[in-house]
Amino acid sequence: MQGSTPTKKELVKVGGQPILWHVMKIYAAYGHDHFILTLGYEADQLKRYFMEYEPMSANLTLRLGQSDGVTYHRSAAMVDWTITLVDTGRYTQKGSRVRRVADHIDTDTFFLTYGDGVGDVDIEALLAFHRHHGRLATVTAVHPHSQYGILKTTAAGQVTGFGEKPVLKHWINAGFMVIERAALDYFGEGDDVDLERQVLPQIAAEGQLMAYRHTGFWRSMDTFKEALALDEIWRTSAPWKMWE
């Protein structure tokens, strides 16, 4: 619509909450509740969402005209998270964004993921796998579903059947990564360091990247159609909901 601001993808709602909220809830369900968000395009939308989260989620009592005039009442929607929001530049590539928040990372090992993919990933098992192999980085690998149904045909071109969006045989990076602080040296300087094309391939080339194979539920949300599908899955089964 002319004159309107499109909703940032991470804030598209699934089950009444932004997809980013779902990603964060997965980590928080395992006790990991300190988050650093690398902001770029439409950074103000994410800042506004979190600044308004508590007053918009909680019941509250107002005492107008008083400096301490708001009391929030606990509700199921409230969370105890620490969130650092860092504007890393509108056109900065993902690898450079991570490097720019290095000063805010205060642990030797940290998680790294995307803001638009959810799954019933066992975060503790992922972390244990990472610590056991001792390399610099771990990605969570999944078999994706095809976007399309498939045709089954003979060599002559006769259609013999249909397949509905099968699971593909190749593994892909689903996010839910674990990174050692020492790996930040691979994230380079400047604005143009790409995570998938430069950082991870270089770490892999040096034998320092492992894949945690997740065979459970995982979906990403790149289109409006996928958002609708995730919303339907949430209402019927919500396999990634690992919290009360």
Side-chain angles (χ1 to χ4, degrees):
M1 181 180 295
Q2 188 174 7
S4 65
T5 300
T7 300
K8 189 166 174 58
K9 181 171 69 168
E10 293 88 348
L11 294 178
V12 172
K13 291 187 176 180
V14 172
Q17 294 287 358
I19 185 69
L20 176 61
W21 177 91
H22 290 266
V23 175
M24 295 167 78
K25 286 286 282 186
I26 293 169
Y27 282 97
Y30 289 91
H32 304 289
D33 54 12
H34 284 56
F35 302 96
I36 302 170
L37 303 185
T38 61
L39 308 184
Y41 177 72
E42 298 290 359
D44 59 311
Q45 288 192 30
L46 282 164
K47 288 181 179 179
R48 187 176 300 113
Y49 170 75
F50 285 107
M51 289 293 291
E52 297 176 350
Y53 181 85
E54 195 162 63
M56 297 304 292
S57 301
N59 296 322
L60 48 87
T61 297
L62 297 174
R63 294 176 297 280
L64 301 181
Q66 300 183 33
S67 59
D68 58 345
V70 182
T71 300
Y72 296 108
H73 306 289
R74 296 293 303 179
S75 70
M78 295 184 73
V79 294
D80 295 316
W81 298 346
T82 298
I83 307 170
T84 300
L85 299 101
V86 182
D87 192 340
T88 53
R90 179 169 180 171
Y91 301 107
T92 308
Q93 295 296 319
K94 288 194 286 288
S96 298
R97 292 187 191 280
V98 175
R99 185 59 182 257
R100 288 191 176 183
V101 300
D103 289 344
H104 297 282
I105 301 171
D106 58 5
T107 58
D108 291 332
T109 304
F110 62 94
F111 295 105
L112 176 65
T113 196
Y114 307 115
D116 59 359
V118 292
D120 56 352
V121 179
D122 186 329
I123 300 298
E124 288 309 304
L126 165 63
L127 182 57
F129 173 81
H130 174 80
R131 286 175 170 162
H132 178 74
H133 66 61
R135 313 290 174 82
L136 287 178
T138 300
V139 299
T140 294
V142 299
H143 287 303
H145 285 259
S146 171
Q147 297 183 57
Y148 309 102
I150 62 170
L151 291 174
K152 299 175 182 178
T153 66
T154 66
Q158 178 183 343
V159 176
T160 59
F162 293 84
E164 184 58 30
K165 298 182 180 178
V167 175
L168 302 178
K169 66 179 182 178
H170 298 293
W171 295 96
I172 67 166
N173 175 14
F176 294 96
M177 293 167 269
V178 189
I179 310 291
E180 291 299 309
R181 188 176 185 83
L184 288 173
D185 291 342
Y186 291 82
F187 286 74
E189 301 291 344
D191 299 339
D192 59 350
V193 181
D194 188 273
L195 178 66
E196 291 86 3
R197 295 191 186 95
Q198 294 171 259
V199 177
L200 294 179
Q202 185 178 355
I203 295 174
E206 297 186 16
Q208 290 293 323
L209 182 64
M210 296 288 287
Y212 173 78
R213 294 181 175 180
H214 174 64
T215 57
F217 178 89
W218 177 84
R219 294 288 190 283
S220 64
M221 190 197 71
D222 292 318
T223 66
F224 180 65
K225 184 177 181 181
E226 289 170 341
L228 293 177
L230 278 173
D231 194 69
E232 174 65 20
I233 294 170
W234 173 261
R235 288 186 285 108
T236 56
S237 60
W240 67 89
K241 185 182 179 185
M242 293 172 283
W243 60 91
E244 296 299 327

